[in-house]
Amino acid sequence: MTKRQLRIIAMIVIMASLLALTACAINTTYPGDKNVIEASATIDALASNPKVIVIDARGDEAYNKGHLAGAICLSPTALVVDSPVPMTLIDKSGFEAVMSANGIANDSVVYIYDDNGGVNASRIWWTMKVYGHDQVMIVNGGASELVKAKGVLTADVTKLSATTYVASEANTSMIATFDEVSALAQTPVKGVKLLDVRSAAEYAEGYIPGAILYPHTKNLYKDGTFMSSRDLGLFYKDEGFEKSDTIIVYCKSSFRATQTVALLQEAGYTNLKVYDGAWLEWSSKVDTTNTQEDTAPVGGSDGS
């Protein structure tokens, strides 16, 4: 074989390898083994598994205009209380009542969708996880992806028979308290990081000392689908987050925070907490005026 033929073969091998790598890079679908499920898999499961319940988390108005056939309507606001801090986790008995009234049983397989980047769906996901419901996932891309996957739409209201749901005690390891966050803000701890997922504009107006800004919108591709676990892992590592870190996530009312927690867990981060009181609690208890000496630990990828 001539040198020219060898060079041609080598070039073909290199090009084939590059094409394979490119194919892997653009495959952003999720296998459905943790917190995220694809729209097509949701539709198939609803049709084939009687234990599957799909929740439309967009709210009554959007639901009544048209929703996935068979989906029930449940807003995350049904699972929060306004005292002592607005928009915080409902208690166990309240959670049980909401689940029971909506026909959700302890063995139900729950898939949740919305139309705002997984924020509403993730808040329900997180609440259910806190109270011990393991079989719950978020639909990647939400309502628009269900339409693209040719899901049947209807305006008919789905009403399931009531159940008697029995929740576990709240898993407090998933929740960060004001005292915990306050202590961290005053005395940083190695391997423990505070993540602010609000917008850059909100952050500029005030933030918890030491919090790193990474808006939740950066977890999405331009089409509104979730970034792949691979991409999320790379971007968060660039911002200084290691998978061994304990990461406490907050936003204004910790709805957006739950989206980030769900996706970071999907990407292999295991020590994750939501500061449920969030900025609403912090700003009511602490002077949030930032001085010129304050150094905002904003990552290099966050100039928007």
Side-chain angles (χ1 to χ4, degrees):
M1 188 175 292
T2 66
K3 290 183 178 180
R4 182 173 181 276
Q5 288 173 321
L6 288 172
R7 284 197 297 269
I8 291 172
I9 291 172
M11 289 177 64
I12 291 172
V13 170
I14 292 170
M15 290 178 66
S17 299
L18 289 171
L19 286 170
L21 288 171
T22 302
C24 291
I26 63 174
N27 180 13
T28 64
T29 58
Y30 284 81
D33 61 348
K34 290 184 181 177
N35 303 327
V36 180
I37 186 168
E38 293 300 311
S40 58
T42 301
I43 295 166
D44 292 343
L46 182 61
S48 61
N49 186 348
K51 289 187 177 181
V52 168
I53 293 175
V54 175
I55 294 175
D56 183 321
R58 298 175 299 162
D60 290 336
E61 184 177 354
Y63 180 86
N64 292 334
K65 288 180 179 178
H67 54 269
L68 182 68
I72 65 171
C73 180
L74 178 60
S75 169
T77 56
L79 295 169
V80 298
V81 295
D82 285 330
S83 178
V85 180
M87 305 295 281
T88 48
L89 183 69
I90 195 171
D91 63 18
K92 178 185 173 185
S93 62
F95 174 77
E96 290 173 332
V98 173
M99 293 294 104
S100 299
N102 283 278
I104 300 170
N106 286 81
D107 63 349
S108 295
V109 179
V110 180
Y111 301 141
I112 316 167
Y113 73 89
D114 59 28
D115 57 0
N116 63 340
V119 171
N120 282 13
S122 296
R123 181 67 193 198
I124 296 176
W125 165 86
W126 179 77
T127 303
M128 295 186 74
K129 286 285 189 178
V130 165
Y131 285 114
H133 198 107
D134 290 328
Q135 297 189 93
V136 54
M137 292 185 179
I138 304 152
V139 180
N140 190 12
S144 61
E145 288 299 307
L146 288 168
V147 172
K148 290 179 185 177
K150 303 188 184 307
V152 177
L153 303 181
T154 182
D156 295 337
V157 175
T158 298
K159 182 67 176 176
L160 304 178
S161 299
T163 63
T164 303
Y165 193 98
V166 180
S168 301
E169 295 298 326
N171 183 355
T172 55
S173 70
M174 297 174 65
I175 307 168
T177 64
F178 173 82
D179 289 342
E180 184 178 357
V181 173
S182 180
L184 183 63
Q186 294 176 53
T187 307
V189 177
K190 184 178 180 180
V192 182
K193 294 186 172 71
L194 192 57
L195 173 59
D196 187 326
V197 300
R198 298 174 300 158
S199 68
E202 289 173 291
Y203 186 83
E205 291 179 357
Y207 54 89
I208 300 174
I212 299 171
L213 174 65
Y214 197 85
H216 82 288
T217 51
K218 289 183 175 289
N219 298 326
L220 305 172
Y221 293 115
K222 289 183 179 180
D223 65 355
T225 58
F226 298 138
M227 278 199 171
S228 68
S229 294
R230 173 184 174 277
D231 286 350
L232 284 167
L234 290 172
F235 285 128
Y236 276 88
K237 185 174 180 61
D238 285 346
E239 298 302 329
F241 293 96
E242 301 294 339
K243 291 186 178 179
S244 59
D245 288 337
T246 295
I247 304 174
I248 299 173
V249 191
Y250 78 94
C251 56
K252 182 178 180 180
S253 60
S254 282
F255 275 48
R256 288 171 283 179
T258 59
Q259 180 246 45
T260 297
V261 165
L263 295 178
L264 285 179
Q265 191 178 87
E266 191 81 38
Y269 291 81
T270 56
N271 304 315
L272 300 162
K273 295 185 177 185
V274 170
Y275 172 31
D276 194 31
W279 186 250
L280 288 175
E281 179 179 41
W282 185 267
S283 61
S284 71
K285 292 184 175 183
V286 178
D287 179 5
T288 60
T289 303
N290 295 325
T291 67
Q292 290 182 347
E293 287 75 26
D294 290 335
T295 300
V298 182
S301 68
D302 198 65
S304 61

